[in-house]
Amino acid sequence: MLSQYMEQIEALGLNLFFASIFFFIGMAIHDVLKQGKVPKFGRNIVWLVLFLGCAGFIAKGLIQVFWEGSGIG
């Protein structure tokens, strides 16, 4: 029982780690684009991909915890 919760916490932590790495890489790309003469439309696409990627990793981790925690998965 305890090992199941530890696995869920580890999976959530891993997804949060990937979300933060994705966020920092996206911020670096956004800063590079901002320094160049890239139109604002291009920077907005980077923000959109950044937001969706981070939200996807976080949602995947939370769904996995609740899915396995409820005994369904």
Side-chain angles (χ1 to χ4, degrees), residues 18-37:
F18 284 138
S20 61
I21 292 296
F22 196 87
F23 178 77
F24 289 128
I25 290 172
M27 286 297 294
I29 292 171
H30 180 264
D31 287 345
V32 167
L33 292 178
K34 193 174 181 181
Q35 289 176 357
K37 299 299 179 196

Side-chain angles (χ1 to χ4, degrees), residues 34-59:
K34 193 174 181 181
Q35 289 176 357
K37 299 299 179 196
V38 177
K40 189 173 182 173
F41 178 74
R43 291 194 308 261
N44 288 343
I45 289 178
V46 170
W47 271 109
L48 181 66
V49 170
L50 172 69
F51 173 75
L52 291 176
C54 289
F57 277 118
I58 292 171

Side-chain angles (χ1 to χ4, degrees), residues 2-30:
L2 182 61
S3 64
Q4 180 186 4
Y5 289 122
M6 293 302 291
E7 289 174 8
Q8 291 174 1
I9 291 171
E10 183 179 322
L12 180 61
L14 190 63
N15 283 311
L16 290 176
F17 172 75
F18 284 138
S20 61
I21 292 296
F22 196 87
F23 178 77
F24 289 128
I25 290 172
M27 286 297 294
I29 292 171
H30 180 264

